[in-house]
Amino acid sequence: MINQYINENKDRFVNELLDMLRIPSVSADPKFKKDVLGTAEFVKQRLIDAGADNVELVETAGYPVVYGEKMVDPSLPTVIVYGHYDVQPADPYELWNSPPFEPVIKDGKIYARGACDDKGQMYMHVKAFETMMRTGTLACNVKFMIEGEEEVGSANLATFVKENKDRLKGDVILISDTGMLGNDTPSITTGLRGMSYVEVEVTGPNRDLHSGLYGGAVANPINILCQMIASMHDENNHITIPGFYDNVDELSQEERAEMARAPFDLEKYKKALDLKDVHGESGYVTMERNSIRPTLDVNGIWGGYTGEGAKTVIPSKAFAKISMRLVPHQTSEEITKKFKKHFESIAPASVRVVVRPHHGGEPVVTPTDSVAYQAASKAYEETFGVKPIPVRSGGSIPIVSMFKSELGLDSVLMGFGLDTDAIHSPNEHFGVFNYMKGIETIPLFYKHFAEMSK
Amino acid sequence: MINQYINENKDRFVNELLDMLRIPSVSADPKFKKDVLGTAEFVKQRLIDAGADNVELVETAGYPVVYGEKMVDPSLPTVIVYGHYDVQPADPYELWNSPPFEPVIKDGKIYARGACDDKGQMYMHVKAFETMMRTGTLACNVKFMIEGEEEVGSANLATFVKENKDRLKGDVILISDTGMLGNDTPSITTGLRGMSYVEVEVTGPNRDLHSGLYGGAVANPINILCQMIASMHDENNHITIPGFYDNVDELSQEERAEMARAPFDLEKYKKALDLKDVHGESGYVTMERNSIRPTLDVNGIWGGYTGEGAKTVIPSKAFAKISMRLVPHQTSEEITKKFKKHFESIAPASVRVVVRPHHGGEPVVTPTDSVAYQAASKAYEETFGVKPIPVRSGGSIPIVSMFKSELGLDSVLMGFGLDTDAIHSPNEHFGVFNYMKGIETIPLFYKHFAEMSK
C-alpha cells in the first residue's frame, strides 16, 4: 500500500524536488538571502500540504528553522527529523555542464546544487511523511527541524535547540545527510569528523609595493603565508601544530581490520579522480586517512594580482581559509585555540597575522547497538536486500554532537547519497533511484523503530 | 629664456598630463584596449603640436610604438628618447583615496595610475622638447620611441627595433622611468635588475572535492603549491633553485662600501611601510637586497573558495604568478629554464604541474664614465644644486639591455620620481615639483651632451 502510493506519486515527488532545487539557497553568500528564505517557505508549505501540525518558520539570529510535527499517540516513540534547506556555493560555475540552479535529469540522475546535499535527502523525509499520512501508516510521532545554515556552520541552531527543549522532546534524531558505499552495498554512517574552520590574514608592508624596488628587502606576505602553511605538515604529512594529536582516538588493530573489510578499490578511486597517486598521512590507508584521521586543508587562498597578464607587485596582504577535520575526543575549541596559538607563534617579525575562527563542529561516533540503528539496519535490508555496513564518514555534521549534549539524543544517519554524487563540487547530482529508495526505506524505519521500542 | 617659457606654460604642462592620465591605458587587461590606443593617439598629437617630424603610430603585433623625430643638423649628436604610455593595472581599486583614472592634485602631488610610471616622466620629455623648439634651443637631433607594452614585458619592441635600425641610428638612449633618492639628493640609476616571470598551475583531483569525504586522502593542490613555493627559499632566504646563483655578479667589498654611502635610514624605511622588521637574504643589507641581489617573489596566488563565508572544498587547481629579479650576468632565459626544471622536479606524484613563462628582461649596468652620464650628472647638478649620486636600482627596464645588443647604444636613466611615489600601488603619485624639475633638467642634458660630444 505504501509502495503503491509511492509509485503512483513518483513523478510528482521528483518534480517537487526539482522546483525546490531551482531556488539558489546559498547560505554563505548574503546576495542569495531572498532565495534562502524562499526555500524555507517552500519547505514549510510542503509540510503543511503533507499534513503536519504547528508548522512554522522559527526565527533565529540568522535563517529560520522550519518546524512541524505530527503527534499521533503519546505512547508511541517520537522521531525528530533533521535536515537543511541551504546549499553550498555553486562556483566555479563554468565547470557545471548545466546551470547549478536549473536542475536536469540525465541517465537517471538529478543534476543541481543541493540535489543530494541536502535538499534531495531532506525532502525524502517530507515525502515519506506524506506517504505515511495518506496511507494511514505513520507508526511514530514525528517532529521536523529543517535548518538553513548547515553549510555555514549551523551558527544559530544550538540556540534554537536550547530554547525549544520541550518542543524537541523525542527518542531519536533521524538525519539523511550522508552517503552509502554503493547502490548494491548500502551502509549506515556511524561516525563523523568534527571541524575547525579559520580564516587567516598575513600583512606585510602597509601597501602594495613594486616588486623591483622592494623585492628581496621586505617580507612578501604570500611567500610567508605559503611558508607558514607548508610548515604545518611534516615529511610524513603529520600535522605539526603542537598538541594537535593529543586527544586523537587511536583505533585498535581489530577496529582497523574491521574497517578494512569495507569494499574499496584504490585503482578505481585514483582513476575516478584522475590521480597518478594518492597523498596522505604515513601509516594509514586511504579509507582511514579520510575518516578516522584528522586533517588540515587549505580551502581557499588569495593575494596579490590574480587578473590577466603579469603585474610585478608585492601585495600588502595575503589570505587563506583553512579547515581541520577532527576525530573523536578532539574538540573544535581545543584545536582552533591550538591552531591560533601556533599560527601566531610561527609568524616572523616581518609580518602581522590575524586568525579569525569561522565555525566549528564536534566529531561523533554513533552506537550500532541502539534500537534506532537496528531499526534502520532492518529497513535498509528490506529495501536493498542486503544488510547495510556500518562506516565512519570523513564528513562533518557538527550538530549531531550538539543534539547529544543538549537533548541527550543519539542520531541515526540514514544516508542514501553516493560519494560520487559530487556534493560541494560542480555537477552535484542525486540518483532518482536513491531518492525513491529513501522514500521507501524511511517508513520501514518508523515501523521497526516503533515495534522495537515497545 | 627656457625657464621663462617653462614658467609661463607650467599650468598647461600640468593640465595636459592630467588629460593623458584620465585615459586608463592598462596594457595587461584586454578590456582597456581602446584606451591604450587612445593614449598612443594622444602622445602622437602632442609630438606633432610640439613640432616633431615624421610622427606616426608604428604598428606592431601588439600596441603601436609612437615614433617622431626632429633632425636639426646631421653634425649634431642624436638623442633617442624612450618611454611608455601604458600603465599597470589599478586594482585593488578600493584602496585608492581617489579614483585611479580621475587625477587630482593634493599637497603638490598628482595622484593617478601612471602619474609617475611612466606617463608623467615620459611626458616631461615631450614638454622639454616643445620648450626647446619654441625657444630655438634644441641642441641635439632627437628621436622619440614611446611604446605601449612596457608593463607587459615589451613583447614587440625588440621586433620594432630590429626592423627600424636605420630610423633608430643615434648616440644615446634617454629614459626617465626610474627614481631619485630624494628631492634634495638627486641620483641617476646606473643599474637595473632583469626579470623572469612565470605562472604556475598545480592540479590535484580532476574536480573540486568535499574536504570531509576526501580530506587527508588526496593531495590538496593549494597545500602542495604552498609547500613548493616555501621550499624555494632556505632558512637564510637564499633561493634553492639549483644553479640559481651560478652567474650572479658578486660585488667587491669596495663596491659595496661605495653603495653604503648613499643616504639610507632603516628606521624611516620601516616606519614608512609600517613594518616591525625587514626581511631578506642573510649577509646583505636592505639596499643590497633590493638592488644587487636576485629575488623570487610570488606576485599573485589563488585557488579554492575565496568568497564570503566558509566553503569546505578541496579545489582541483591552485595557481601562482611568480617573478624573479635578476642581477648582472644572470639571463632571463637561463633562470626561467632553471625554475621550470626545478618546479617540475619537486612536484609530488600526487599532482600535475604546468609552468607558463610570461616574459623576461635582462639586467644591465650602465657606465658612469660615458659622455651621456657626465652630461646628465652636470644637468642635475645645475637644477638641483648638488651632484647626483649613481645608484643601482632593483627595478627592471628589460629593453635597456636590448637597446645595447640591437643598437649598440647605452642608455642614460634620468629619473625624477621617488620611491615613495607608490608606483604599481594604489595612490600612485608624482610631485608637480618633480615633473617641472624634469622639464627643466632635460634641455640642460641636451646642451651638455652636444657640447661634450664635440
Side-chain angles (χ1 to χ4, degrees):
Chain A
M1 186 162 104
I2 285 184
N3 289 351
Q4 187 192 341
Y5 184 85
I6 291 173
N7 291 333
E8 286 168 3
N9 293 278
K10 178 179 173 182
D11 292 350
R12 178 172 57 84
F13 286 178
V14 170
N15 289 329
E16 286 178 14
L17 173 56
L18 299 186
D19 289 340
M20 178 167 45
L21 291 170
R22 289 190 184 93
I23 318 175
S25 52
V26 179
S27 51
D29 188 340
K31 79 166 181 286
F32 292 104
K33 181 168 186 183
K34 202 176 89 305
D35 303 298
V36 182
L37 294 171
T39 309
E41 193 53 44
F42 181 100
V43 175
K44 174 187 166 192
Q45 281 307 325
R46 297 293 86 73
L47 280 174
I48 293 169
D49 302 345
D53 302 326
N54 308 319
V55 182
E56 64 169 303
L57 298 188
V58 183
E59 291 311 319
T60 73
Y63 288 115
V65 174
V66 185
Y67 179 85
E69 62 184 28
K70 191 70 194 182
M71 302 309 287
V72 190
D73 174 345
S75 71
L76 292 175
T78 300
V79 174
I80 299 175
V81 175
Y82 165 85
H84 62 94
Y85 60 82
D86 62 321
V87 300
Q88 277 279 312
D91 55 310
Y93 282 74
E94 65 275 16
L95 296 185
W96 285 77
N97 299 328
S98 59
F101 300 109
E102 296 171 25
V104 294
I105 301 181
K106 236 173 56 197
D107 312 328
K109 301 184 188 70
I110 301 166
Y111 285 84
R113 168 58 81 230
C116 175
D117 177 16
D118 182 48
K119 283 175 171 171
Q121 297 217 75
M122 172 268 286
Y123 204 61
M124 295 182 311
H125 290 274
V126 180
K127 294 296 99 180
F129 171 66
E130 174 196 314
T131 300
M132 293 184 281
M133 290 294 288
R134 298 277 191 279
T135 56
T137 55
L138 182 58
C140 302
N141 302 308
V142 57
K143 296 173 174 179
F144 286 89
M145 165 175 50
I146 313 298
E147 73 156 319
E149 302 184 302
E150 197 273 344
E151 300 295 2
V152 289
S154 304
N156 300 294
L157 191 70
T159 316
F160 166 83
V161 168
K162 284 189 184 71
E163 291 172 352
N164 293 271
K165 285 190 174 176
D166 290 342
R167 188 145 61 157
L168 295 175
K169 282 207 167 66
D171 299 280
V172 70
I173 308 276
L174 178 59
I175 304 176
S176 296
D177 197 16
T178 50
M180 307 185 298
L181 291 172
N183 286 344
D184 45 11
T185 48
S187 57
I188 298 176
T189 301
T190 57
L192 292 164
R193 289 196 286 194
M195 180 157 60
S196 289
Y197 199 115
V198 299
E199 189 161 318
V200 298
E201 173 183 321
V202 176
T203 305
N206 55 5
R207 58 185 170 89
D208 288 4
L209 299 176
H210 183 292
S211 69
L213 302 184
Y214 291 89
V218 300
N220 178 324
I222 302 178
N223 290 74
I224 299 290
L225 175 59
C226 288
Q227 287 164 16
M228 294 173 75
I229 288 170
S231 76
M232 288 197 237
H233 287 93
D234 68 15
E235 62 284 5
N236 295 315
N237 282 304
H238 292 304
I239 293 156
T240 59
I241 297 170
F244 187 83
Y245 294 97
D246 283 358
N247 304 317
V248 166
D249 176 31
E250 296 285 350
L251 269 63
S252 67
Q253 285 312 319
E254 295 63 34
E255 290 172 295
R256 292 177 67 181
E258 175 59 32
M259 275 189 72
R261 293 184 28 230
F264 176 73
D265 181 331
L266 184 59
E267 288 316 309
K268 272 208 192 108
Y269 183 87
K270 288 194 292 189
K271 199 159 182 310
L273 299 174
D274 196 10
L275 294 172
K276 268 211 254 53
D277 198 2
V278 291
H279 182 96
E281 187 180 4
S282 305
Y284 297 89
V285 298
T286 295
M287 294 309 286
E288 294 172 325
R289 288 167 171 175
N290 67 9
S291 63
I292 62 168
R293 298 300 295 169
T295 66
L296 186 152
D297 271 302
V298 181
N299 301 114
I301 192 167
W302 67 103
Y305 183 68
T306 59
E308 277 221 35
K311 185 179 178 188
T312 52
V313 63
I314 293 177
S316 174
K317 291 175 183 291
F319 302 84
K321 294 175 192 270
I322 299 174
S323 67
M324 290 153 283
R325 297 281 171 170
L326 313 179
V327 297
H329 306 342
Q330 290 183 300
T331 73
S332 60
E333 189 193 357
E334 164 215 357
I335 293 300
T336 301
K337 205 174 288 167
K338 285 174 175 173
F339 176 94
K340 188 172 191 294
K341 184 157 178 279
H342 179 63
F343 195 80
E344 289 166 350
S345 73
I346 61 175
S350 50
V351 300
R352 283 164 291 135
V353 302
V354 181
V355 176
R356 298 185 182 88
H358 257 297
H359 64 264
E362 306 314 322
V364 285
V365 180
T366 61
T368 55
D369 54 5
S370 67
V371 169
Y373 181 86
Q374 293 302 328
S377 181
K378 206 146 175 250
Y380 276 86
E381 193 168 356
E382 285 171 31
T383 48
F384 285 88
V386 281
K387 201 171 196 311
I389 302 169
V391 298
R392 293 268 297 263
S393 163
S396 306
I397 309 178
I399 39 70
V400 171
S401 62
M402 185 269 288
F403 291 144
K404 181 70 176 177
S405 56
E406 293 298 328
L407 302 173
L409 295 179
D410 284 321
S411 298
V412 57
L413 302 166
M414 292 178 64
F416 294 90
L418 299 176
D419 278 4
T420 51
D421 286 344
I423 67 171
H424 290 214
S425 303
N427 304 309
E428 174 179 357
H429 54 274
F430 189 39
V432 173
F433 168 86
N434 303 70
Y435 179 60
M436 297 311 296
K437 265 286 188 252
I439 298 174
E440 275 176 54
T441 309
I442 291 163
L444 292 168
F445 167 77
Y446 281 68
K447 175 164 159 280
H448 297 308
F449 187 59
E451 282 164 4
M452 298 164 78
S453 300
K454 282 193 183 122
Chain B
M1 189 162 99
I2 284 184
N3 290 350
Q4 187 192 342
Y5 183 85
I6 292 174
N7 292 332
E8 287 169 359
N9 293 278
K10 177 179 174 184
D11 293 350
R12 178 172 57 83
F13 287 178
V14 170
N15 290 328
E16 287 178 12
L17 173 57
L18 300 187
D19 290 339
M20 178 167 45
L21 291 171
R22 289 190 185 94
I23 320 175
S25 52
V26 180
S27 51
D29 188 341
K31 80 167 181 284
F32 292 104
K33 181 168 187 185
K34 202 176 89 306
D35 302 298
V36 182
L37 295 171
T39 310
E41 192 55 43
F42 180 100
V43 175
K44 175 187 166 190
Q45 281 309 324
R46 298 293 86 71
L47 280 173
I48 292 170
D49 301 346
D53 302 326
N54 308 320
V55 183
E56 63 169 304
L57 299 188
V58 184
E59 291 311 320
T60 73
Y63 288 114
V65 174
V66 185
Y67 180 85
E69 61 183 30
K70 190 70 194 182
M71 303 307 288
V72 191
D73 174 345
S75 72
L76 292 174
T78 300
V79 174
I80 300 175
V81 175
Y82 166 84
H84 62 95
Y85 60 83
D86 64 321
V87 300
Q88 277 278 313
D91 56 312
Y93 283 75
E94 66 274 16
L95 296 185
W96 286 75
N97 300 329
S98 58
F101 299 109
E102 296 171 26
V104 295
I105 301 181
K106 238 174 53 195
D107 312 327
K109 301 184 187 67
I110 301 165
Y111 285 82
R113 167 58 80 229
C116 175
D117 177 16
D118 182 46
K119 283 174 171 173
Q121 297 217 74
M122 174 268 285
Y123 205 60
M124 297 182 310
H125 290 273
V126 179
K127 295 295 99 179
F129 172 65
E130 173 195 317
T131 301
M132 294 185 280
M133 289 294 287
R134 298 280 190 280
T135 56
T137 56
L138 183 59
C140 303
N141 302 309
V142 56
K143 296 172 175 178
F144 286 89
M145 164 174 50
I146 313 299
E147 73 156 318
E149 302 184 301
E150 198 271 346
E151 300 295 3
V152 289
S154 304
N156 300 295
L157 190 71
T159 316
F160 166 82
V161 169
K162 285 191 184 72
E163 291 171 352
N164 293 272
K165 285 191 173 174
D166 290 342
R167 184 143 63 157
L168 296 173
K169 281 208 167 66
D171 299 280
V172 69
I173 308 278
L174 178 59
I175 305 176
S176 296
D177 196 15
T178 51
M180 309 185 296
L181 292 172
N183 285 346
D184 46 10
T185 50
S187 56
I188 297 176
T189 301
T190 58
L192 293 163
R193 289 195 285 194
M195 179 156 61
S196 290
Y197 198 115
V198 298
E199 190 162 317
V200 299
E201 174 184 320
V202 176
T203 304
N206 55 5
R207 58 185 168 89
D208 288 5
L209 298 175
H210 183 291
S211 69
L213 302 184
Y214 292 89
V218 301
N220 179 324
I222 302 177
N223 290 75
I224 299 290
L225 176 59
C226 288
Q227 286 164 17
M228 293 173 76
I229 288 169
S231 75
M232 290 197 228
H233 287 92
D234 67 15
E235 63 284 6
N236 295 315
N237 282 305
H238 292 304
I239 293 155
T240 59
I241 297 170
F244 187 83
Y245 294 98
D246 283 359
N247 304 318
V248 166
D249 177 29
E250 297 283 352
L251 269 63
S252 66
Q253 286 310 320
E254 295 64 33
E255 290 172 293
R256 292 176 66 180
E258 175 59 32
M259 275 189 71
R261 291 182 32 229
F264 176 73
D265 182 329
L266 184 59
E267 288 316 308
K268 271 210 193 108
Y269 184 87
K270 288 194 290 188
K271 199 159 182 306
L273 300 174
D274 196 9
L275 295 172
K276 267 211 255 55
D277 198 0
V278 291
H279 181 95
E281 188 180 5
S282 304
Y284 297 88
V285 298
T286 295
M287 294 311 285
E288 294 173 326
R289 289 167 170 174
N290 67 10
S291 63
I292 62 168
R293 298 300 296 170
T295 65
L296 185 151
D297 271 302
V298 182
N299 301 113
I301 191 165
W302 67 103
Y305 184 67
T306 59
E308 276 221 35
K311 185 179 177 187
T312 52
V313 64
I314 292 175
S316 173
K317 290 174 184 292
F319 303 84
K321 294 174 192 271
I322 299 173
S323 67
M324 289 152 284
R325 296 283 170 169
L326 314 179
V327 298
H329 306 343
Q330 290 182 300
T331 73
S332 61
E333 191 193 354
E334 164 216 355
I335 294 301
T336 301
K337 207 174 287 166
K338 286 174 175 171
F339 176 94
K340 189 171 189 295
K341 184 158 180 278
H342 179 63
F343 195 81
E344 290 166 348
S345 74
I346 61 175
S350 50
V351 300
R352 283 164 290 136
V353 302
V354 181
V355 176
R356 299 186 182 89
H358 257 299
H359 64 265
E362 308 312 324
V364 285
V365 179
T366 62
T368 55
D369 54 4
S370 68
V371 169
Y373 181 87
Q374 293 303 328
S377 180
K378 205 144 177 255
Y380 276 86
E381 193 167 357
E382 285 171 33
T383 47
F384 286 86
V386 281
K387 201 173 194 316
I389 301 169
V391 298
R392 293 268 296 262
S393 163
S396 305
I397 309 178
I399 40 70
V400 170
S401 62
M402 187 268 289
F403 292 143
K404 181 70 176 177
S405 57
E406 293 298 327
L407 302 173
L409 296 178
D410 285 320
S411 299
V412 56
L413 303 166
M414 293 179 64
F416 294 91
L418 300 176
D419 279 1
T420 51
D421 287 344
I423 67 172
H424 291 213
S425 303
N427 304 309
E428 175 179 355
H429 55 274
F430 190 38
V432 173
F433 167 86
N434 304 70
Y435 179 59
M436 298 310 297
K437 266 285 188 251
I439 298 174
E440 275 177 54
T441 308
I442 290 162
L444 292 169
F445 167 78
Y446 280 70
K447 173 164 161 283
H448 297 307
F449 187 59
E451 282 164 2
M452 297 163 79
S453 300
K454 277 186 186 132

